[in-house]
């Protein structure tokens, strides 16, 4: 392999060094190796006058009938593997890199009219691992009205069991977060603010709509509800 790469380097130093880079990194970082192969392929295809089209896929497809089917197939394989390296890095592996580098060498040999002494083999694309379905959070909203000399508060309970609030305690921002609260069965009467600061809960909740929670005017602080919902992915 190194003899062929040296011949490629003599024709195009950037390409030869790039292939060596991909080969060097295929074990420790297969994703970056695949991405490098795709970038080098794009350089090659862009240098071919017959290649036409907006994207790499179209430019490769335009070579059908002008270039051997094997070379076109290898180009498409490198393109697909490069996309995996960029967008699905966890699916990249050493075997894919080895195939991709071998294909890139074959394409480079075709481009620069170098005899390719490497054996050809059946190309096998990696089986992509499906991402787990994204869980969509739901939320319930509560207001704790001012009582005695304690200012009002807003609280949000999300379906992952987190009861959350931000409020001022002696003008210092305090973030309240309690895990393990049952989203379905929780009732406003189940909780009162005050226990953390004063040792006993005395400020009750009432359930409200999202619109009411977001519009509620807090004393000496901005309403944080909309920002919190955006942060946890609720729109």
């Amino acid at each position: 392999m190194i003899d062929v790469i040296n011949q490629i380097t003599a024709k195009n130093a950037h390409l030869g060094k790039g292939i060596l880079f991909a080969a060097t990194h295929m074990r420790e970082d297969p994703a970056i190796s695949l991405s490098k192969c795709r970038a080098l392929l794009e350089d090659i295809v862009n240098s071919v006058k017959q290649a036409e089209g907006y994207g790499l896929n179209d430019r490769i497809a335009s070579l059908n009938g002008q270039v051997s089917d094997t070379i076109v197939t290898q180009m498409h394989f490198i393109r697909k593997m490069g996309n995996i390296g960029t967008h699905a890095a966890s699916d990249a592996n050493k075997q894919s890199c080895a195939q991709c580098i071998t294909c890139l060498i074959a394409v480079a040999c075709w481009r620069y009219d170098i005899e390719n002494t490497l054996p050809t083999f059946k190309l096998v694309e990696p089986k992509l691992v499906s991402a787990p379905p994204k869980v969509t959070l739901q939320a319930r909203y509560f207001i704790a009205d001012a009582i005695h000399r304690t200012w009002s508060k807003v609280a949000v309970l999300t379906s992952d069991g987190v009861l959350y609030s931000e409020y001022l305690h002696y003008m210092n921002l305090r973030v309240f977060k309690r895990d393990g609260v049952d989203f379905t069965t929780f009732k406003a009467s189940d909780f009162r603010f005050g226990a953390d600061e004063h040792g006993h809960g005395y400020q009750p909740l009432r359930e409200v709509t999202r619109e009411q929670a977001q519009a509620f005017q807090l004393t000496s602080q901005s309403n944080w509800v909309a920002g919190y919902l955006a942060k946890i992915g609720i729109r």
Side-chain angles (χ1 to χ4, degrees), residues 38 45 50-64 76 79:
R38 189 193 187 283
V45 174
Q50 301 96 311
E52 299 177 346
Y54 179 73
L56 182 57
N57 180 56
D58 291 342
R59 292 198 294 274
I60 294 172
S62 72
L63 296 175
N64 283 319
H76 278 303
R79 177 184 60 80

Side-chain angles (χ1 to χ4, degrees), residues 14-168:
H14 173 74
L15 177 58
K17 290 178 181 178
I19 294 173
L20 286 174
F21 176 91
T24 301
H25 288 80
M26 71 177 188
R27 290 180 177 81
E28 63 186 42
D29 195 343
I32 197 171
S33 179
L34 293 177
S35 297
K36 183 66 173 179
C37 287
R38 189 193 187 283
L40 294 171
L41 171 69
E42 192 156 13
D43 289 342
I44 294 174
V45 174
N46 287 343
S47 72
V48 178
K49 293 181 179 180
Q50 301 96 311
E52 299 177 346
Y54 179 73
L56 182 57
N57 180 56
D58 291 342
R59 292 198 294 274
I60 294 172
S62 72
L63 296 175
N64 283 319
Q66 305 182 70
V67 178
S68 73
D69 291 343
T70 299
I71 291 297
V72 170
T73 298
Q74 290 170 323
M75 286 179 173
H76 278 303
F77 182 81
I78 298 167
R79 177 184 60 80
K80 292 177 182 178
M81 293 301 98
N83 290 341
I84 289 175
T86 302
H87 303 295
S90 60
D91 294 311
N93 57 56
K94 185 175 72 174
Q95 180 185 1
S96 300
C97 291
Q99 294 183 94
C100 204
I101 292 167
T102 303
C103 288
L104 183 60
I105 290 173
V107 172
C109 287
W110 161 79
R111 177 66 181 86
Y112 293 105
D113 198 22
I114 297 170
E115 182 183 359
N116 183 15
T117 57
L118 300 182
T120 57
F121 48 83
K122 183 179 179 182
L123 300 177
V124 180
E125 297 182 19
K127 186 175 181 181
L128 301 183
V129 178
S130 299
K134 188 175 181 179
V135 177
T136 302
L137 287 176
Q138 296 176 293
R140 295 171 62 188
Y141 307 89
F142 302 87
I143 288 175
D145 293 301
I147 185 172
H148 307 311
R149 288 191 293 177
T150 302
W151 291 340
S152 302
K153 301 178 179 67
V154 181
V156 176
L157 173 61
T158 43
S159 52
D160 56 356
V162 176
L163 181 64
Y164 181 91
S165 182
E166 297 178 14
Y167 56 88
L168 296 179

